[in-house]
Amino acid sequence: MSADTFQRVCALADLVEDTPHRVEVDGTPVAVVRTEGEVFAVNDICSHANVSLSEGEVEDCQIECWLHGSSFDLRTGKPSGLPATRPIPVYHVKIEGEGPAAAVLVSLTQES
């Protein structure tokens, strides 16, 4: 069983509520989103079309692909409607420290 390897991606203060923030973790594009009092991290590439989800909008704990309108649940990665039918990867997030300077860390390790 391998342990999660977390990497610092930004400060909590860098995240604007309901506005996706694009980062890279070991060459993988990741959209980090602060919404509803939590921080989520998902793969930044839409499973339907090769476009950046971080350019879309966030509402009701979902991130919308700006190109065709598919939305993905930030908790599960599951699409909520067509044209996307495949989920996107969801990554582990943890916050270290307190206040705006707290570090946001993301792990690309997937649960089996």
Side-chain angles (χ1 to χ4, degrees), residues 3 21 26 50 52 82 112:
H21 181 73
D26 295 330
N50 190 24
S52 175
L82 297 174
S112 51

Side-chain angles (χ1 to χ4, degrees), residues 28-56:
T28 299
V30 176
V32 181
V33 180
R34 184 179 188 177
T35 187
E36 299 181 7
E38 294 185 63
V39 177
F40 300 93
V42 297
N43 191 282
D44 189 42
I45 304 302
C46 178
S47 65
H48 168 255
N50 190 24
V51 297
S52 175
L53 291 173
S54 62
E55 295 177 24

Side-chain angles (χ1 to χ4, degrees), residues 16-34:
V16 177
E17 186 80 11
D18 295 330
T19 302
H21 181 73
R22 186 181 195 278
V23 298
E24 283 204 6
V25 178
D26 295 330
T28 299
V30 176
V32 181
V33 180
R34 184 179 188 177

Side-chain angles (χ1 to χ4, degrees), residues 41-108:
V42 297
N43 191 282
D44 189 42
I45 304 302
C46 178
S47 65
H48 168 255
N50 190 24
V51 297
S52 175
L53 291 173
S54 62
E55 295 177 24
E57 296 183 4
V58 172
E59 187 175 340
D60 297 327
C61 211
Q62 303 217 10
I63 189 166
E64 182 183 48
C65 177
W66 61 270
L67 187 59
H68 294 116
S70 286
S71 289
F72 299 88
D73 190 304
L74 290 167
R75 298 166 292 232
T76 65
K78 292 181 181 175
S80 62
L82 297 174
T85 58
R86 291 175 296 142
I88 56 173
V90 174
Y91 305 122
H92 299 280
V93 175
K94 71 179 179 180
I95 309 297
E96 286 188 349
E98 295 181 19
V104 177
L105 298 102
V106 173
S107 171
L108 297 184

